[in-house]
Amino acid sequence: MKLTREFYIRDNVVEIARDLLGKVLCSRFDGNLTKAVITETEAYAGVADKASHAYGGRRTKRTEPMFGPGGVAYVYLCYGIHHLFNVVTGVSGTPHAVLIRAGHPSVGETVMLKRRKRPTVDASLLGGPGSLAKALGINTKLTGTSLLGRQIWIEDHGIRFAESSLVIGPRIGVDYAEEDADCPYRFVATLDGRFS
DNA sequence: CGAATGATATACT
DNA sequence: GTATATCATTCGA
């Protein structure tokens, strides 16, 4: 079943990042349905988090979707090449977000392979935030799009990961965030308990 | 290991 | 309005 508004507007963004593991991220563009099981997430804790684009209450045209109510997409271009997909959480005014970093293909593998220009399904197909967004057809034009609509949404398929199969640690690529770079805001689900 | 690649934020004139 | 540094990364050598 599709996640509802109540899931997204909770105030604990770290808890939501943890809860998103095993949920299924879905998209449908031009009739092409794709779904991916989320296996890696990172929390970005609003104005108090130096790693967040909204740190210190910085509110610009780019970060505007994060300041709205939870349950919308925040997509932006990174390194001039990659489109990164985030889930905005919390009530209006709290710019919390969860970066979806990796997933496992579930539906629409053929379309994903075509978008990624790759011959076969392997771990690298959805193996990083830029790759995952590209495979699902997500681009910066979708920033601000509701996750309760018909283009992008998240479903609960009842997948649960054992506590022992989770790896929790510091986030990736946020060295610029000083002391906040070490916060344990990254969640990885390893399918067999090993670090991947 | 390092180039690719462009929007964005910030600091200027 | 213009300039420039920076970046929540990826792929190929």
Side-chain angles (χ1 to χ4, degrees):
Chain A
M1 59 181 252
K2 188 188 285 194
L3 296 183
T4 58
R5 177 176 175 276
E6 284 67 36
F7 180 91
Y8 299 108
I9 62 170
R10 290 177 292 156
D11 65 327
N12 188 338
V13 66
V14 177
E15 181 180 291
I16 294 175
R18 160 72 180 80
D19 286 351
L20 281 172
L21 293 177
K23 297 292 187 291
V24 182
L25 176 61
C26 313
S27 76
R28 193 206 310 269
F29 304 111
D30 300 322
N32 292 312
L33 179 67
T34 51
K35 300 192 180 189
V37 181
I38 297 168
T39 57
E40 183 173 350
T41 62
E42 281 178 5
Y44 284 82
V47 299
D49 183 355
K50 288 185 179 176
S52 171
H53 292 158
Y55 172 65
R58 199 171 53 189
R59 186 168 187 158
T60 65
K61 187 175 180 184
R62 178 175 64 151
T63 63
E64 186 61 28
M66 284 205 280
F67 286 85
V72 303
Y74 170 51
V75 186
Y76 74 96
L77 189 67
C78 187
Y79 295 109
I81 305 172
H82 307 290
H83 300 263
L84 271 55
F85 172 76
N86 300 250
V87 175
V88 176
T89 71
V91 297
S92 185
T94 61
H96 295 173
V98 177
L99 172 67
I100 308 300
R101 289 193 61 88
H104 187 83
S106 169
V107 172
E109 280 121 330
T110 308
V111 179
M112 295 188 203
L113 288 172
K114 192 172 177 181
R115 286 178 180 145
R116 295 269 291 117
K117 296 186 168 60
R118 291 198 155 245
T120 54
V121 175
D122 62 359
S124 72
L125 183 64
L126 304 177
S131 302
L132 178 122
K134 187 165 189 182
L136 290 182
I138 293 167
N139 60 68
T140 55
K141 292 190 173 178
L142 293 159
T143 197
T145 301
S146 172
L147 299 178
L148 307 177
R150 314 195 71 127
Q151 297 184 96
I152 317 175
W153 67 96
I154 301 177
E155 296 175 353
D156 185 349
H157 288 201
I159 298 171
R160 297 283 181 275
F161 293 111
E163 204 61 42
S164 62
S165 70
L166 301 186
V167 175
I168 303 175
R171 292 169 292 187
I172 302 296
V174 294
D175 294 345
Y176 61 90
E178 301 173 29
E179 72 274 16
D180 286 332
D182 297 325
C183 291
Y185 287 174
R186 175 174 178 240
F187 297 85
V188 185
T190 59
L191 298 179
D192 55 8
R194 279 183 287 118
F195 195 89
S196 58

